[in-house]
Amino acid sequence: MTATATENSTGVNYLNVQYGIRSWLLTTDHKRIALLYLASITFFFLIGGISAVLIRIHLIEPQGALLQPATYNKMFSMHGIVMIFFFLIPSIPATMGNFLIPMMVGARDLAFPRINLLSWYIYVVAGLFTVYALIAGGVDTGWTFYTPLSTTYANGQVMAAALGVFIAGFSSILTGLNFIVTIHKMRAPGLTWSRLPLFVWAMYATSVIQVLGTPVVAVAIVLVGLERMFQVGVFDPALGGDPILFQHLFWFYSHPAVYIMILPSMGVVSELVTCFSKKRIFGYHFIAYSSLAIAAISFLVWGHHMYVSGQSVYASLVFSALSFAVAIPSAIKVFNWTATLYKGSVSYDSPMIYALGFIGLFTMGGLTGMFLASLATDIHLHDTYFVIAHFHYIMVGGALMGYLGGLHFWWPKITGRLYPDAWARFAALVIFIGFNLTFFPQFVVGYLGMPRRYAVYPEEFQVLNIMSSAGASILGVGYVIPLIYLIWSMRYGPAAGPNPWGATGLEWQTPSPPPTENFEQLPVVTEDAYEYGSKEAHVV
Amino acid sequence: MWSGFPLRPEQASTIAQGIDQLYFFLTAITLFFTFVIFTAIFYFAIRYRRKAKGEIPGQIEGSLPLEIFWSAVPLVLVVVIFVWSSSLFISNSRPPEAATEIFVIGKQWMWQLQHPDGAREINELHVPVGKPIKLTMTSEDVIHDFFIPAFRVKKDVVPGRYTSLWFEATKTGRFHLFCGQYCGVNHALMIGSVVVMEPEEYERWLSGSRKAETMAASGAQLYERFACITCHGAGKAPPFNDFYMSQVKLSDGSTVVANEEYIRESILYPSAKIHAGYDPIMPTFKGQISEEQLLQLIAFIKSLGPQERKSE
Ligand code: HEM
Ligand SMILES: [Cu+2]
Ligand SMILES: [Cu+2]
C-alpha cells in the first residue's frame, strides 16, 4: 500500500490530545472507545477468571473441596455468562475491530461515531445488571437459561442476569451495524473488496451474524422474562408452553454466536501469519470466502445441540450433515495459514507464537467438533466434559489466543510502546502448556462419562480432574504475566515507531499512537493487501 | 496400572462397541491431522526461519489444485463419517419390538422407576441381562436427562411429553446412572445405578419387591375412580379395545396414531384433537391426575389390546 509513514511532527496523538475523565467518557474517537472497551472487558475477564479458579479448586475433590452445590452452580453460571456475553463476544470486535477497522479501510472514524460511544454505554449498563445479579445473590441457570428451569424453578437473580444479556445484545448489534456500514461506505479510494485485509473480511462476516442473530436471542430472553414474571405460558408445559421451543430460539443465535467469537480471531491470525512470515496470504479468496461460508452455514446447524432432546431422527440427520459441512471451510483456513509459512521468512515474535498456537489448538477444537456433529457418538458425549473440552479448545485455545496475539501485535500501535518480547514469548508458552494440561484431560473424563455441571462426582474421575486443576493454575499464571508487562510497558516501554513489525496495512502507515484523525492525508490504495516484497507473486 | 486410568468407559450394552469403534476412528483422524498440522508448522517455522533482518522471500499467491485437494479430502472424510455415524444412529434409535417397557419419572432431584408389573424403585433400576428394555420417560418439573455411560445411551426427560430410549445390557453388574441435563441445585445428586442381573435373579428380585399391583391394574382402578367409564364404553365416547397404536380419524379430517403422547394429550387437553364423530364433551383432567397416574392409565389402555402390542 502506498501512503507513506509520516513521523508525527507535532507529537499530538489520540491519547494526549486531551486529558481528564470527561474527555474519555464523552469521546467519539473510535480509538478511545476501543480502549474504554478494552478496560471493561478486561474487568469482566477477571470476574470470569476468578469464578473459573473457584470452579477448578472445588473440583479437586470428588465431594467438592470448596463450595456448596448451590454456590458451585452460581459459579459456573456466572463464569459462562460473563465469559461469553461480556468478554468473548465483544472481545476482538469491540477493541481491535473498533480501533483498526477505520484505519484499515483508510477512514477517519467509523460511520457512526456517536452510536459507537452509545454501544459502549449500553454495554456498561448491561454489565451493571450482571454485576448486580452477581452481588445480589447470583444466578444458577447456567449461561444457557434452559426453560422451564429458568422461568419457573430457579431462584436467584435470573431477571437481572437475563436483562444484562438482553441489553448487551443491543451493544453488539450496534457495533455490527457500524462496522458493516463503515466497510461498505468508507473504504479509501482504490481499496476494493479484494484488497481488504482479511481481518476486515472476518469482521464483516462477524458483524452480519451479530446483526441477524442477536435479535432472536433477545426475543427468547424477553419471553423468558414474560413467563417468569407474569406466568405467560410460552415454555413451561405446566402453563401450556413448550420447553424445547426455548432451545431452538437460544441455539439459533448461540450457535452462530460461537462464530462471533472465533471469526475475529481467524481474521487476526491471517494478519499475523502474513506479517511474521513476510509473505502474502496463501489463498486470499479462499480465506475470505470461507469466513462468509462459515457465517452462512452457522445459521443452519443449531439442532446439533439438541440431538438428545427428543428432536426427530430426520431433523437430527439434517443438522448433523450441515454441521459436518462447517468443518470444510474451517479446514480450508487452517491449511491456507499453514501454507503461508512455506518458503516465508518466519520470525518468532510473540504475536506469531500466539498465532501458531491458535492454529494448532483450533485444529484440535475443530476436529473434536466432528465427534459431536456425529450423531452416534454425540449421544454419549453430549453434556459431558467432552463438550466442555471441545469448546474451550476453540474459544480459549482459539479465540482467546487470537485475541492475545492481536493485542500483542497492535499494542505498539495502540500505545506507541513496545513490551518486553521475551516475556511475551514466555507467557505464550506458559499459556499453551497450561491450556493443554487443563483441557486435554477433560476430553478423556468426558468420554469416560463425567457429566458437565456436576458439583460432586464419582471418585474414579478424580485423577483427571486434579490434572485439569493443576493445568488451570499454570494457565492462570500465564494470563497474569501479560497483564503485568503490558501495563508496565505503557509507562516504561521503549517507543515503538510507526511500524515495528514491518507490516503492510494502512494502520501501520500512520504514527504510533495515531493522531485523532488517523491520517494526515487520507490514503489512496494501489496494491493488494500483504504486498510483501517483489510484486511478481506467482501461483504454484 | 491402567485399570485405575481407563481410556474408555466400560462397554455393557449391545451398542457400546459400535460407538466405540467410531469413536476410535474419529480419534485416529484427529491424531493424524493434528500431527500433520503440527509437523508442518514446526517444519516450516524452523526450515524457513528468518535468517537476516529485512530479507524478502519470494511471494506465492496460492494454488488452485492445492485448494481443491485440501477441500476434497475433508469432504470425503466427513461424508464417510456422516454415513457411518448416521446409519449407526438410525439403527440404534429403533427399539426392538419385544422390548420390555419400564416407565421413568424424573423430578428435582430423583428418579422414580416403575416396572410394568408394579414394582417401583427410586434412583435404582434393576434390569435383566440380554433382554431389550425400553424406557418411556417424562418429568414432573424441569428437563432432566437419563444417561447411562456404560450403555452409551442418553435422552432428555422433558416435562409435558414422553421421550424414550432403549438398551440391551450385555453384562451383569452395577453401572452409573446420571442426570445429564442441568436441572437445578442438586443436579449432581440426581444420580443412581443401573443393576443388571441374570434373568432368574431378576425374576426373584421382581417377586420380592412386588408390593403393589401391576401398572395396568392401578390404571383400571383410576379409570373407574375418575369415571372415565361413564362415557368411554357407554357410547358417548370412543371405546378403548384395540385402541393403542391404532389410526384415529380426527374431526378436522386428519389422522393420528394413538400413541402414549396422544393419549396423554387427550386426557390433559381433550379439546386439542377431537375424535371424528364424537362431541367434544370430555372434561380436562389437568391438575387432577399426576404423571404417575397418567402412566398407569396409559398402561391400562394399552392392556386392552391389540394383543401383540400389549406390554408384557
Ligand atoms: C469446526 C466445526 C465445529 C463443529 C462441527 C462443532 C460441533 C459442535 C457440536 C455438535 C456441539 C454440540 C455438542 C453437544 O452439546 O452435545 C458443539 C458444542 C459447542 N461448540 Fe462446537 N463445533 C465446531 C466449532 C465450534 C466453534 C468455532 C466454536 C466457538 C468458537 C464452538 C463452540 C461450541 C460451544 C460453546 C459448544 C457448547 C455449548 C454448550 O452446550 O454450552 N464450536 N460443537
Ligand atoms: Cu453449535
Ligand atoms: Cu439434572
Side-chain angles (χ1 to χ4, degrees):
Chain A
M1 305 206 177
T2 52
T4 37
T6 42
E7 265 316 319
N8 196 349
S9 42
T10 57
V12 176
N13 60 50
Y14 81 102
L15 290 171
N16 64 12
V17 63
Q18 269 184 312
Y19 291 98
I21 194 96
R22 266 176 66 91
S23 75
W24 283 90
L25 293 182
L26 297 179
T27 182
T28 53
D29 182 345
H30 64 103
K31 300 182 287 303
R32 284 190 161 212
I33 296 173
L35 292 193
L36 292 177
Y37 265 116
L38 182 63
S40 350
I41 68 168
T42 305
F43 170 74
F44 279 105
F45 184 67
L46 289 178
I47 295 189
I50 291 169
S51 45
V53 168
L54 295 177
I55 291 171
R56 281 313 333 164
I57 295 177
H58 178 80
L59 291 177
I60 289 174
E61 304 249 342
Q63 328 74 340
L66 194 62
L67 310 167
Q68 293 300 314
T71 321
Y72 177 83
N73 297 344
K74 288 176 185 167
M75 253 345 122
F76 74 67
S77 302
M78 202 32 87
H79 172 69
I81 293 171
V82 164
M83 284 302 202
I84 295 208
F85 297 108
F86 291 90
F87 176 71
L88 261 186
I89 289 183
S91 63
I92 293 180
T95 58
M96 285 165 241
N98 244 330
F99 197 95
L100 294 164
I101 287 180
M103 288 203 259
M104 284 183 163
V105 303
R108 299 215 184 276
D109 207 319
L110 286 173
F112 309 112
R114 286 181 199 194
I115 290 186
N116 196 21
L117 181 64
L118 176 66
S119 76
W120 179 71
Y121 276 103
I122 294 177
Y123 172 86
V124 169
V125 171
L128 289 178
F129 272 98
T130 306
V131 171
Y132 169 80
L134 181 68
I135 295 172
V139 239
D140 71 343
T141 57
W143 77 281
T144 45
F145 293 102
Y146 270 20
T147 56
L149 180 66
S150 64
T151 54
T152 310
Y153 294 88
N155 301 313
Q157 300 297 331
V158 180
M159 280 318 300
L163 263 173
V165 173
F166 175 76
I167 297 171
F170 287 94
S171 149
S172 179
I173 294 174
L174 291 181
T175 304
L177 274 176
N178 221 337
F179 288 176
I180 293 176
V181 175
T182 306
I183 296 168
H184 269 281
K185 291 291 175 200
M186 301 183 60
R187 281 171 287 130
L191 186 55
T192 59
W193 284 89
S194 35
R195 285 176 175 168
L196 278 179
L198 288 166
F199 178 74
V200 178
W201 270 102
M203 287 308 313
Y204 185 80
T206 308
S207 303
V208 170
I209 304 181
Q210 283 179 322
V211 171
L212 294 181
T214 317
V216 179
V217 79
V219 168
I221 292 173
V222 168
L223 293 174
V224 166
L226 287 179
E227 181 164 300
R228 196 174 163 84
M229 290 192 301
F230 307 113
Q231 280 74 49
V232 179
V234 185
F235 303 122
D236 187 350
L239 303 170
D242 177 355
I244 304 290
L245 174 65
F246 175 81
Q247 297 181 23
H248 284 289
L249 295 174
F250 181 82
W251 290 114
F252 183 81
Y253 164 77
S254 291
H255 181 82
V258 306
Y259 288 96
I260 296 179
M261 300 177 234
I262 195 73
L263 280 170
S265 270
M266 294 173 158
V268 167
V269 167
S270 301
E271 300 294 321
L272 301 188
V273 170
T274 53
C275 175
F276 293 99
S277 38
K278 287 285 167 286
K279 270 190 69 217
R280 294 172 149 249
I281 194 87
F282 197 93
Y284 175 93
H285 286 102
F286 288 89
I287 294 194
Y289 294 144
S290 61
S291 289
L292 297 186
I294 288 176
I297 306 173
S298 75
F299 277 104
L300 305 172
V301 302
W302 77 91
H304 66 209
H305 298 272
M306 300 167 61
Y307 290 155
V308 304
S309 68
Q311 153 178 292
S312 87
V313 170
Y314 304 101
S316 290
L317 287 172
V318 173
F319 284 123
S320 171
L322 288 164
S323 304
F324 277 117
V326 184
I328 294 166
S330 309
I332 291 177
K333 282 182 187 280
V334 169
F335 290 128
N336 278 299
W337 290 322
T338 309
T340 303
L341 304 176
Y342 175 68
K343 291 198 172 165
S345 165
V346 180
S347 72
Y348 308 143
D349 298 295
S350 57
M352 184 63 157
I353 310 285
Y354 282 107
L356 298 180
F358 170 100
I359 301 176
L361 298 179
F362 174 75
T363 302
M364 293 179 71
L367 285 162
T368 52
M370 296 198 310
F371 291 69
L372 304 175
S374 142
L375 284 158
T377 40
D378 184 63
I379 300 303
H380 177 64
L381 298 172
H382 175 75
D383 271 341
T384 67
Y385 265 85
F386 192 98
V387 174
I388 306 288
H390 155 71
F391 69 73
H392 281 86
Y393 262 79
I394 293 181
M395 305 207 301
V396 181
L400 189 54
M401 280 285 216
Y403 171 77
L404 288 175
L407 200 60
H408 282 79
F409 185 53
W410 283 293
W411 188 258
K413 178 57 58 186
I414 295 172
T415 62
R417 306 283 187 154
L418 294 173
Y419 48 82
D421 203 60
W423 276 105
R425 285 193 299 254
F426 173 69
L429 207 65
V430 172
I431 290 176
F432 186 83
I433 293 169
F435 173 82
N436 280 295
L437 191 54
T438 309
F439 292 104
F440 194 84
Q442 297 186 2
F443 283 124
V444 182
V445 84
Y447 178 47
L448 292 179
M450 177 163 166
R452 63 191 287 196
R453 301 176 169 177
Y454 263 35
V456 296
Y457 58 86
E459 269 171 30
E460 66 250 41
F461 301 138
Q462 187 177 12
V463 176
L464 288 158
N465 272 288
I466 289 179
M467 285 165 72
S468 186
S469 294
S473 58
I474 300 177
L475 188 58
V477 172
Y479 291 137
V480 171
I481 305 173
L483 199 65
I484 296 172
Y485 65 71
L486 287 179
I487 291 176
W488 177 88
S489 78
M490 289 200 279
R491 202 176 166 94
Y492 304 106
N499 191 358
W501 314 115
T504 63
L506 294 177
E507 78 272 26
W508 299 107
Q509 320 221 331
T510 179
S512 314
T516 303
E517 303 283 285
N518 294 345
F519 303 97
E520 278 175 18
Q521 276 175 330
L522 280 183
V524 175
V525 179
T526 56
E527 289 173 343
D528 287 353
Y530 319 119
E531 285 282 353
Y532 288 101
S534 67
K535 284 188 72 179
E536 308 92 65
H538 61 282
V539 175
V540 287
Chain B
M1 169 194 169
W2 288 103
S3 63
F5 207 79
L7 286 181
R8 69 164 160 70
E10 200 164 352
Q11 295 177 336
S13 77
T14 47
I15 66 165
Q17 202 184 5
I19 286 172
D20 288 350
Q21 280 162 354
L22 177 57
Y23 183 93
F24 283 111
F25 177 72
L26 286 164
T27 307
I29 290 191
T30 301
L31 291 178
F32 175 76
F33 280 101
T34 306
F35 178 78
V36 167
I37 295 294
F38 274 71
T39 312
I41 287 177
F42 273 106
Y43 178 76
F44 291 160
I46 292 167
R47 171 83 173 69
Y48 303 112
R49 71 188 174 280
R50 187 166 304 167
K51 295 184 188 85
K53 233 180 158 229
E55 75 182 353
I56 302 291
Q59 298 294 311
I60 302 171
E61 189 97 37
S63 154
L64 189 59
L66 268 179
E67 299 287 351
I68 293 174
F69 171 70
W70 61 48
S71 310
V73 170
L75 178 66
V76 171
L77 270 176
V78 298
V79 169
V80 170
I81 299 167
F82 173 74
V83 171
W84 179 352
S85 168
S86 301
S87 48
L88 206 57
F89 172 72
I90 291 171
S91 68
N92 289 350
S93 48
R94 229 179 271 131
E97 280 293 313
T100 306
E101 189 169 20
I102 295 176
F103 296 93
V104 178
I105 298 175
K107 52 180 132 180
Q108 286 180 330
W109 290 276
M110 60 187 270
W111 296 107
Q112 188 182 319
L113 299 115
Q114 300 206 359
H115 296 254
D117 71 342
R120 284 193 201 179
E121 27 186 352
I122 301 280
N123 293 343
E124 225 172 53
L125 172 61
H126 288 78
V127 291
V129 68
K131 293 261 167 64
I133 306 286
K134 180 182 171 214
L135 305 181
T136 297
M137 313 188 287
T138 190
S139 160
E140 282 191 0
D141 37 51
V142 302
I143 303 178
H144 302 278
D145 178 282
F146 202 87
F147 175 31
I148 310 169
F151 295 173
R152 312 288 187 275
V153 293
K154 173 183 292 129
K155 189 64 148 255
D156 282 358
V157 178
V158 184
R161 67 178 62 169
Y162 296 114
T163 55
S164 69
L165 81 81
W166 78 274
F167 56 81
E168 181 178 329
T170 53
K171 248 190 210 169
T172 56
R174 186 175 270 274
F175 305 100
H176 284 301
L177 157 62
F178 291 130
C179 175
Q181 178 64 55
Y182 175 66
C183 58
V185 177
N186 286 329
H187 165 59
L189 302 180
M190 196 165 159
I191 59 176
S193 340
V194 178
V195 183
V196 181
M197 310 161 111
E198 292 298 342
E200 318 80 67
E201 212 186 328
Y202 174 68
E203 284 309 323
R204 236 174 299 135
W205 174 84
L206 266 189
S207 48
S209 60
R210 185 181 297 140
K211 295 176 199 80
E213 60 224 329
T214 66
M215 285 191 69
S218 314
Q221 286 182 4
L222 291 172
Y223 195 70
E224 274 182 41
R225 201 169 99 209
F226 286 104
C228 316
I229 202 157
T230 54
C231 302
H232 292 279
K236 285 195 267 179
F240 290 130
N241 296 327
D242 289 348
F243 171 72
Y244 178 60
M245 291 314 265
S246 65
Q247 300 277 333
V248 175
K249 244 185 125 46
L250 299 182
S251 55
D252 66 0
S254 59
T255 51
V256 291
V257 178
N259 56 14
E260 289 88 351
E261 202 73 61
Y262 176 70
I263 299 176
R264 173 197 176 84
E265 188 189 30
S266 298
I267 299 173
L268 297 182
Y269 307 98
S271 52
K273 298 193 179 100
I274 307 294
H275 194 130
Y278 291 94
D279 293 330
I281 53 168
M282 175 163 161
T284 173
F285 290 89
K286 191 164 175 286
Q288 304 170 40
I289 295 190
S290 70
E291 288 296 342
E292 188 181 351
Q293 291 171 328
L294 271 173
L295 287 171
Q296 290 166 347
L297 278 170
I298 291 172
F300 167 66
I301 292 178
K302 280 180 173 177
S303 73
L304 300 177
Q307 286 308 316
E308 67 273 17
R309 297 287 321 189
K310 232 159 76 172
S311 46
E312 6 333 17

